[in-house]
Amino acid sequence: MSTASSLRAAEAVSPRLAVRAVIVEGGRLLLVNAYADAASTLWCAPGGGVVAHASLPENLIREVHEETGLRIRVGPPCLVNEFHAPGGGFHQVEVFFRCRLVEGALSEGWRDPEGVVTRRRWVSEAELDGLRVKPASLGAVAFRRGMGYDPLEPIVGP
């Protein structure tokens, strides 16, 4: 395949843009399950794909509420992460924002309308060390100041 053909093929599948919330309250970080599969042990920050014609913060407020029932205030960006499926067409770029809880509490009765998030939990920095979390730098960014960037990494399955 020529270089021009390779570039056209790569352009046909644009990266998906997503937003995620880094919410630390009382020394604990909010995590949600990364896959709907109950057997999955992978955790991530709440959030999801953006829709056109809404700002990144507006998308994040919507996504966090859908997944957790919580209302948040979105602060500054703190991490950019990107991952892909090697050999496949999936590539996602995630922008993480520091957020504050404005209203609500986690409830067992809350249901994600998309049915993806079924588990939610607050974890301390020490508890985070014993969990499978993506991206790996999430804890360092969540519990410290500063901005992080995780370069392209392979997607991790359930």
Side-chain angles (χ1 to χ4, degrees):
M1 183 182 293
S2 73
T3 302
S5 297
S6 296
L7 288 173
R8 281 193 298 279
E11 291 170 356
V13 180
S14 294
R16 177 180 191 252
L17 180 60
V19 287
R20 298 217 174 264
V22 176
I23 307 168
V24 177
E25 294 286 329
R28 298 180 307 151
L29 172 66
L30 179 61
L31 297 176
V32 298
N33 58 286
Y35 291 95
D37 179 0
S40 174
T41 60
L42 189 63
W43 295 88
C44 64
V50 303
V51 296
H53 310 293
S55 70
L56 296 180
E58 289 168 335
N59 276 284
L60 187 53
I61 289 166
R62 182 197 72 249
E63 284 288 334
V64 169
H65 186 261
E66 286 176 0
E67 293 180 357
T68 67
L70 303 175
R71 301 278 181 201
I72 61 167
R73 177 173 298 117
V74 179
C78 60
L79 173 64
V80 174
N81 177 61
E82 56 179 317
F83 60 92
H84 70 123
F90 187 78
H91 179 171
Q92 180 161 297
V93 176
E94 301 177 316
V95 180
F96 290 70
F97 291 84
R98 293 193 190 281
C99 298
R100 292 263 181 232
L101 182 60
V102 172
E103 181 182 322
L106 295 184
S107 165
E108 290 294 322
W110 185 262
R111 297 290 175 253
D112 173 7
E114 294 182 7
V116 175
V117 172
T118 57
R119 293 171 288 150
R120 305 146 192 90
R121 66 187 285 192
W122 293 98
V123 298
S124 67
E125 188 172 7
E127 292 169 319
L128 190 63
D129 287 339
L131 297 175
R132 272 182 71 216
V133 177
K134 282 298 178 183
S137 64
L138 180 58
V141 169
F143 293 105
R144 291 163 193 75
R145 294 192 179 273
M147 176 78 178
Y149 171 68
D150 281 329
L152 190 63
E153 64 181 351
I155 193 169
V156 176

